[in-house]
Amino acid sequence: MKAAVARYLESFESTWRDETPVGSVRFLSVDTESTGLNPARDFLVAYGAVAVLGGEILLDDSFERVVRRPFNDANVTLHGITRELSQKGAQAERALADFLRYALDAVFIGHHIGSDIAMLNAAARHFFDLELKNRSVDTMGLALLLERDGVLETPEGEADFSLDGLCARFGIPPHDRHTAAGDAFLAAQVFLKLLPFARRAGRMTLGALSEVWVPKES
């Protein structure tokens, strides 16, 4: 597992820059499911990720792991993880090492991706004394940024920037919602729907796309 961490860190020695064209970046749409929302006391129970490169979702470049747990509670079952699946899952440290080996220096995308990164960082610190180095783009923040840019119009009364709301707006069927792999695939589709609007706004470098949305002061 030390080799996985070393390889992960090495991948950042020559990685994406602010001026890198968006089409050249290996993005990973990432979703994690956990026992709760508090990284200090809750645990990862599943990982899901799929790569996006050159404006396409690469289904053959994807990742899914269920983490082994001795028992299930209602919150774990919500994510479609049965007791049998949980007990057959990967040991938690191994699952994280596999994810690092897969992710390398990819730029993470996801809806409220900060929550997923917080959970991943908590696990990385616990097992490997490691802080993740991956850049990220939050699909909700990007949608709000593009609305502020004036390229993404929001119909009156339809200002729903949740994952469900954006899927509905773009006609994306919410298949496998609330599973790690399913939500990662949905966020990847939303991201692709947002890219043409980013192009109109001139946000075609990683730095421009990664700008953090900050609400205007009223």
Side-chain angles (χ1 to χ4, degrees):
M1 296 192 200
K2 289 182 179 179
V5 175
R7 177 71 185 91
Y8 170 78
L9 292 173
E10 285 170 6
S11 71
F12 291 91
E13 292 177 3
S14 177
T15 188
W16 322 108
R17 300 178 180 276
D18 279 347
E19 59 270 23
T20 304
V22 169
S24 302
V25 177
R26 180 179 179 243
F27 293 96
L28 277 190
S29 184
V30 175
D31 186 80
T32 61
E33 304 295 353
S34 59
T35 56
L37 300 176
N38 188 336
R41 65 167 184 261
D42 292 312
F43 303 95
L44 292 171
V45 297
Y47 298 74
V50 64
V52 177
L53 178 63
E56 294 184 5
I57 297 173
L58 307 181
L59 294 178
D60 58 350
D61 186 358
S62 60
F63 181 90
E64 187 172 8
R65 288 288 186 282
V66 172
V67 178
R68 184 184 309 150
R69 287 181 58 78
F71 61 89
N72 265 17
D73 57 26
N75 198 21
V76 175
T77 306
L78 169 69
H79 305 312
I81 302 171
T82 65
R83 179 182 178 86
E84 181 180 9
L85 279 174
S86 184
Q87 291 181 342
K88 289 182 177 179
Q91 187 260 352
E93 185 176 0
R94 170 62 64 186
L96 179 59
D98 289 346
F99 177 74
L100 294 177
R101 193 179 291 111
Y102 163 74
L104 299 177
D105 67 337
V107 177
F108 292 165
I109 56 177
H111 216 69
H112 297 302
I113 191 64
S115 299
D116 298 289
I117 292 174
M119 292 301 302
L120 288 166
N121 266 328
R125 285 191 295 267
H126 175 73
F127 289 118
F128 303 128
D129 192 26
L130 173 71
E131 195 84 13
L132 295 184
K133 297 169 67 67
N134 303 76
R135 298 179 65 149
S136 64
V137 177
D138 181 69
T139 47
M140 179 175 177
L142 178 58
L144 288 164
L145 196 63
L146 295 173
E147 183 195 43
R148 192 186 72 188
D149 287 344
V151 296
L152 181 64
E153 295 183 4
T154 301
E156 181 125 10
E158 296 183 22
D160 184 354
F161 289 90
S162 67
L163 182 57
D164 290 320
L166 290 174
C167 283
R169 185 189 303 200
F170 293 128
I172 300 168
H175 183 63
D176 278 347
R177 186 76 171 93
H178 298 301
T179 67
D183 284 355
F185 185 55
L186 291 175
Q189 292 177 82
V190 168
F191 179 68
L192 287 187
K193 293 290 187 181
L194 292 172
L195 282 184
F197 297 99
R199 188 175 297 111
R200 288 183 213 169
R203 296 183 179 276
M204 292 311 296
T205 63
L206 180 58
L209 199 72
S210 302
E211 183 182 334
V212 176
W213 175 79
V214 178
K216 291 182 178 179
E217 294 184 6
S218 56

